[in-house]
Amino acid sequence: MKDQERLSERDLMPTRESILALLKEEPHDPFLLYSLAMEDLKEGNSDGALAGFEEIQRLDPTHVASYQQQGQVLMGLERYQEADNALVKGIQQANAQGNAHASAEMQGLRDLLP
């Protein structure tokens, strides 16, 4: 069973604890790592979230959502050059996958950069 399905069935609102439990079984699963990074964001832990997005990209450089989220977090931290770099990589991956929607969203974020 895929981790998305296990999280959905186990808990409609996955908790950090449920994600960590699944990560013990599959520590390199990009979906679980993304879920944990999003929990970090929800808890205000930008550094933890950014580390999570970087780990996801190391394991799966095609993970488009991680680039978009990374760019947004970096923009919020006013780390604009790093945000632009993340968004450019995300746009490249989205375009390679034919994901025009994600590409356009990330380009819209880039257009907001100073």
Side-chain angles (χ1 to χ4, degrees):
M1 180 181 302
K2 291 186 175 187
D3 293 316
Q4 285 176 291
E5 294 167 359
R6 288 177 28 200
L7 278 177
S8 298
E9 290 173 4
R10 185 180 287 180
D11 202 347
L12 292 177
M13 294 292 289
T15 63
R16 173 175 293 283
E17 293 75 25
S18 64
I19 296 165
L20 289 171
L22 289 170
L23 275 168
K24 285 182 183 178
E25 298 170 25
E26 297 181 54
H28 303 297
D29 183 281
F31 174 79
L32 294 174
L33 292 168
Y34 185 79
S35 298
L36 185 60
M38 296 305 288
E39 281 295 305
D40 283 332
L41 274 183
K42 188 168 75 174
E43 295 169 4
N45 181 2
S46 297
D47 290 338
L50 290 171
F53 297 136
E54 290 171 9
E55 177 66 5
I56 293 162
Q57 293 159 14
R58 186 185 70 76
L59 294 168
D60 180 7
T62 67
H63 195 277
V64 172
S66 67
Y67 294 102
Q68 183 169 350
Q69 289 295 328
Q70 181 183 36
Q72 289 177 297
V73 172
L74 290 166
M75 286 174 73
L77 297 172
E78 298 182 358
R79 292 165 54 182
Y80 299 122
Q81 186 59 54
E82 292 172 83
D84 188 54
N85 292 343
L87 293 168
V88 166
K89 289 177 186 175
I91 290 168
Q92 291 169 343
Q93 289 300 327
N95 288 338
Q97 296 172 35
N99 189 340
H101 179 76
S103 179
E105 283 188 4
M106 286 185 276
Q107 185 57 55
L109 290 169
R110 286 189 75 213
D111 292 344
L112 297 174
L113 290 169

